[in-house]
Amino acid sequence: MRRLQIQFFVSYAVFGCIGPLLPVYLKEVKGFTEFQIGINQALTSIATILSPILITLLADLRIDPRRILGCSFLISSSAFFMISTTTGVVPALLFYTLHSLAFMPTIALQDGYYFSLANRAGRRDIKPYHRIRVWGTIGFIVPSLALFFLLERNPNLTMVLWCAMTCCALSALHAQRLPQLKSQSETHGAIEVKGRLPSTEAFAALFGPKGRWFLLGLFFAFSASTAYHTFFPVYLRTLVHMKSSTIGIVISTGVFLEIFYILGLGRLRKRFGMRALMVAGLCSMVLRLTLLATFPSVITALATQVLHGLEICAVYVLPVMFLNQLATDRFRNSIQGVYTMLVVGGSRIAGGLIAGRIAQIDLQLLFYCAAGLALTAVSILLANFRPEDNHGDGQGPLERQPDRG
């Protein structure tokens, strides 16, 4: 579906603007130390805990998700503007936290919107999730390429924020063009007043026998991922002495290769299964972090990008599909929000604070510690994770489940 693909493209472009260069911007323009960068990650992760569950609950309670997306992206754009016009560490921390409060729920909400559209309507014209999600990967790459040429001509890192503002505004506008979902009352009857809230049912599903070990393993995996994504740009700038304009190109090399992993995810999952792919992706993370810590160089930074795509599938794409296996139409949005709160938000608070402190001591030590966390995640999933591999890609009609509400 073209409009949904475009929405993923423009929203993930925000990550493409700030992901590769925001830590460098905070360090070189705003005067952050490594520990303060970690504090920034932790503060924004508090926002990740608070807002996704509320906003995805609103979507399950029949508030139009398109309107929620529009408001969230506009608030995020305004926060970037305030960061660019204020000085000092504290204002930057506060306004970036505001951005996270508004922006982080949009990813869970877009995922929930996709699965709700596919399952509730029973539509066969909806492409599998990974075929939609790949447009987010492409969206990440485009700003990185644009910023390379812009920063080569004018090395003003504030351009990073202006590009992010533009992508947020485009995301807000385009969200209003998405198809309207039928209300739950039209498809499965009205929500009972005395029934459990969708978020309560999502908690029960996630802490049930099929979900609890998955949550624990992904908590460790996200903690390792937080350390990597927060400090890899700083690693490239300080240990490898790379120009700011080139950092985005290096990171986008791995993201470009990620496209092929995601496009082939359906076939890979059919052949190897979800569990094997997730374990393989986390093993790739262990290997990459260990190599970066042991052999800090431009060659290592570039060569390890080959492992990036499988890692992203394991940490960011396959878990979303597994969550849809656990959900029903009553809480298909809320389970994404609850998962984001518990795993993404919780791990980033702990990971951000601890990683910032370790990075201030030794960046290479940080990457060794992150490799240890990823190895712990591998052990947990190998021992306890048993997803159902019916190869429906988690996208909807092929995995439609009865309403337990």
Side-chain angles (χ1 to χ4, degrees), residues 223-304:
S223 297
S225 180
T226 295
Y228 170 79
H229 288 288
T230 302
F231 288 100
F232 185 55
V234 178
Y235 170 97
L236 294 176
R237 190 80 173 106
T238 58
L239 286 183
V240 182
H241 307 294
M242 191 171 286
K243 292 196 302 182
S244 297
S245 59
T246 312
I247 290 174
I249 295 296
V250 172
I251 293 174
S252 291
T253 301
V255 179
F256 173 74
L257 297 174
E258 175 189 326
I259 293 174
F260 301 99
Y261 283 98
I262 295 179
L263 286 175
L265 190 57
R267 292 180 180 178
L268 290 171
R269 184 181 167 192
K270 185 175 182 179
R271 181 169 182 178
F272 299 106
M274 181 180 288
R275 176 172 175 267
L277 285 177
M278 290 186 68
V279 169
L282 293 177
C283 288
S284 297
M285 181 189 289
V286 174
L287 178 59
R288 171 157 71 161
L289 290 167
T290 303
L291 289 173
L292 288 170
T294 307
F295 308 105
S297 67
V298 174
I299 293 175
T300 306
L302 282 169
T304 53

Side-chain angles (χ1 to χ4, degrees), residues 13-30:
V14 180
F15 286 117
C17 296
I18 63 175
L21 288 171
L22 182 72
V24 177
Y25 170 83
L26 294 176
K27 183 177 176 64
E28 297 187 2
V29 178
K30 297 297 182 181

Side-chain angles (χ1 to χ4, degrees), residues 48-68:
T48 306
I49 284 182
L50 294 175
S51 54
I53 187 173
L54 173 61
I55 288 181
T56 51
L57 173 62
L58 292 177
D60 275 328
L61 292 176
R62 307 285 65 84
I63 296 178
D64 192 341
R66 300 174 302 172
R67 306 291 180 262
I68 302 174

Side-chain angles (χ1 to χ4, degrees), residues 340-358:
T340 301
M341 179 190 76
L342 293 173
V343 173
V344 182
S347 65
R348 285 181 175 175
I349 290 175
L353 288 174
I354 297 171
R357 179 60 72 187
I358 297 173

Side-chain angles (χ1 to χ4, degrees), residues 12-13 16 136-146 248 252-253 255-257 259:
Y12 276 80
T137 299
I138 298 170
F140 183 100
I141 294 172
V142 172
S144 298
L145 296 176
S252 291
T253 301
V255 179
F256 173 74
L257 297 174
I259 293 174

Side-chain angles (χ1 to χ4, degrees), residues 162-202:
W162 286 97
C163 286
M165 276 184 264
T166 302
C167 293
C168 282
L170 290 173
S171 298
L173 291 172
H174 189 268
Q176 312 315 306
R177 301 183 69 242
L178 294 173
Q180 185 172 8
L181 289 175
K182 290 182 180 180
S183 68
Q184 185 163 314
S185 60
E186 292 179 84
T187 54
H188 296 287
I191 296 176
E192 296 179 9
V193 175
K194 295 183 181 180
R196 292 191 297 175
L197 285 173
S199 54
T200 304
E201 294 187 60

